[in-house]
Structure formats: structure tokens, C-alpha cells
Amino acid sequence: MPNQKFFIRICLVLLGAGLAQDAMAQLSQKAQEVWPATDAYYSINPKFRLYGTISGTKREESSYSDGAIGLFVDYFTFPVVKKIHPSYAHADSLPGRFMYLRAGYQYSATPESSEDPFKESMIVTEANARFYLPWTMLLTWKNRFDWRISNGEFNSRYRPRLNVEKDLQTEYLTFTAYGFVEYFANVGNSAVNRFKTQLGVELKVLKHVNYEVFWNHQFEHQPEIQSVDAFGMTLKIYMARKAKKQHKKSESQ
């Protein structure tokens, strides 16, 4: 029965989310930070998409916290690499598009009473490409540039990222396991460069809603950058504009 299958699927998704979060929680016993977020994607047409995000950081054993809000526009170009797996349809992309550009604005700040206050306005530009690998895996090569004004000072950085992911599916449950490495190269100030790696799983909760949990590790780069472990969770919402039906008018002769 359809209703019974839907109920079973929801129960398995909730169970899977709980198990994934429990597994991450065991890893995060030494985590210094927690990163909650909500992302929303709205596909306008086959080439353009809006992406909005609200996120935060809470530092354990400290009163420090911050928040960020951002709005971006994605432009999906024509395919630039060979499509090996036509059936692969990733929730974070549009079918048949293997390269996309992103541009937008993000504002971040801490409460005025924070122990380390800051305000930052940032213009983000990205050029990203996707490549299909054997065993139906997907490689995403991200090239991101941040143009930042933080506490009145301008600086920029380049953030290359290599992300590998694989969709997995059972009769009732669909999820994506992934891992990436990312480097933060700050122009003119290499002392604060950072190298991070992340492992996570994104579970399909409903047709247009996913739930992601992940573990992020920042490697030590003395003397400025300390080692940091963070546990995060993101609610992702995918929406699309409905295409208008075109009715052909019959012509009388």
C-alpha cells in the first residue's frame, strides 16, 4: 500500500538520521564547535537557480557564537565533460549540467557581547565543475574566491575544494555519503591559511527535503591556526518553479 510504504520510509529516514547523528556524536565527543545550518535551493529554469543559507557557530566550553546569512545565484552552463552515467541526478544540481558559476553575498557577525566580536561582508564567486567517476561516484572540483571586508579591513582568499560523493539507496531509504578536502589560501597573509577535511552523509527525508550531518576537521597551522573539530547538521530544501503549460489555440479555417 502506498501509504504504508510512505510511513515506513519516513520511519527509516528518521532512524537513519538518528543513527548517523549518533555515529557522528561519538566522533564529536572532542568537538570544539557545532555548526547548525539551513540551506534552500530554488531552480528558476534549466540554467538559473537561487541559493540561500542561514548558518551559525557555537563554540563548546565558551560563550563564543556567530551567525551568517547569504544569498547566491547559480548559473549552469552547457555540459563540458562527458556524461558517463545518464541516470545520475544529484539533488544539488540540474540534470545534464556539469559546470556552474556562483555569485552572491554573505554577511557574518557575532553578538556585541561576544568575547571575540567581528562583522564581515563578503562577496563570493565560484566556478565549479563535476566529473563522473567509476562506480557511479561524483567528483566536484570547486574554485571559490572570497572578497571580504572584516572589521573594516579588506582581504581576499582562494578556496579550492575536491569533493567525492556516492548516492546509495535501499527500498525505502536514499542517502549520499561524501568526503572533501579544502584549502583556504589568504592573499598576502599565508600565516592564517587553513586546510580542512570533512566527512558526512546526506539523507533524503522527503521528495524536496534532505538532512545532512557531518564531521569537519581543521588541521593545525602554527602559530595562528589551531586544530579544530566541528560537528554540523544542515536542513536542505530543494524547490523548483513550475513550468507553465502552453495551450495551442486552434485556428478556424
Side-chain angles (χ1 to χ4, degrees):
M1 296 177 62
N3 292 336
Q4 183 179 7
K5 286 186 177 181
F6 178 77
F7 177 74
I8 293 174
R9 180 180 177 183
I10 292 300
C11 290
L12 288 175
V13 167
L14 293 176
L15 176 61
L19 292 175
Q21 191 157 342
D22 285 344
M24 289 290 183
Q26 292 179 6
L27 290 173
S28 65
Q29 291 179 356
K30 62 174 184 177
Q32 291 90 40
E33 296 182 354
V34 177
W35 299 348
T38 298
D39 295 343
Y41 301 85
Y42 181 73
S43 296
I44 301 172
N45 57 44
K47 287 190 176 182
F48 286 95
R49 180 183 68 180
L50 294 178
Y51 161 52
T53 181
I54 299 175
S55 62
T57 299
K58 177 63 178 70
R59 191 170 295 169
E60 296 294 330
E61 301 180 357
S62 170
S63 61
Y64 177 86
S65 63
D66 63 48
I69 184 170
L71 182 63
F72 308 87
V73 176
D74 294 340
Y75 173 72
F76 289 79
T77 70
F78 292 103
V80 293
V81 293
K82 184 178 179 181
K83 189 173 183 179
I84 300 176
H85 302 290
S87 62
Y88 198 104
H90 196 270
D92 190 32
S93 64
L94 296 178
R97 305 296 178 177
F98 298 90
M99 182 174 182
Y100 68 95
L101 308 177
R102 172 175 291 174
Y105 171 78
Q106 180 171 301
Y107 177 76
S108 306
T110 60
E112 294 182 359
S113 58
S114 175
E115 60 189 49
D116 188 15
F118 80 92
K119 293 181 180 180
E120 180 180 82
S121 293
M122 180 167 61
I123 300 295
V124 176
T125 55
E126 291 186 24
N128 306 315
R130 284 183 162 144
F131 303 88
Y132 292 95
L133 302 177
W135 303 292
T136 64
M137 293 192 298
L138 180 66
L139 171 67
T140 303
W141 176 29
K142 291 193 172 187
N143 294 276
R144 171 171 167 170
F145 292 87
D146 295 337
W147 315 93
R148 311 156 62 203
I149 298 178
S150 183
N151 292 334
E153 295 184 2
F154 174 79
N155 57 79
S156 59
R157 65 187 177 193
Y158 169 50
R159 294 171 52 176
R161 176 194 293 186
L162 286 176
N163 185 92
V164 177
E165 56 196 280
K166 180 176 176 59
D167 283 352
L168 301 168
Q169 187 173 6
T170 66
E171 183 178 359
Y172 299 105
L173 187 63
T174 300
F175 60 97
T176 301
Y178 73 88
F180 71 70
V181 291
E182 183 175 25
Y183 191 73
F184 293 65
N186 292 270
V187 177
N189 188 8
S190 60
V192 294
N193 287 356
R194 306 177 186 216
F195 179 64
K196 294 185 178 184
T197 185
Q198 182 167 303
L199 296 174
V201 60
E202 183 174 329
L203 299 106
K204 189 175 185 64
V205 179
L206 297 172
K207 183 178 181 180
H208 301 292
V209 178
N210 290 4
Y211 180 70
E212 176 189 8
V213 289
F214 59 86
W215 172 262
N216 185 287
H217 177 74
Q218 174 179 281
F219 291 88
E220 183 178 2
H221 181 199
Q222 291 290 350
E224 297 290 337
I225 304 302
Q226 304 297 320
S227 174
V228 176
D229 291 305
F231 170 67
M233 67 290 290
T234 305
L235 179 67
K236 296 188 174 182
I237 304 170
Y238 299 92
M239 301 172 289
R241 182 179 181 182
K242 294 182 179 180
K244 294 182 179 179
K245 295 182 179 180
Q246 296 181 352
H247 300 279
K248 294 183 178 180
K249 296 181 180 180
S250 60
E251 297 180 358
S252 58
Q253 296 181 354

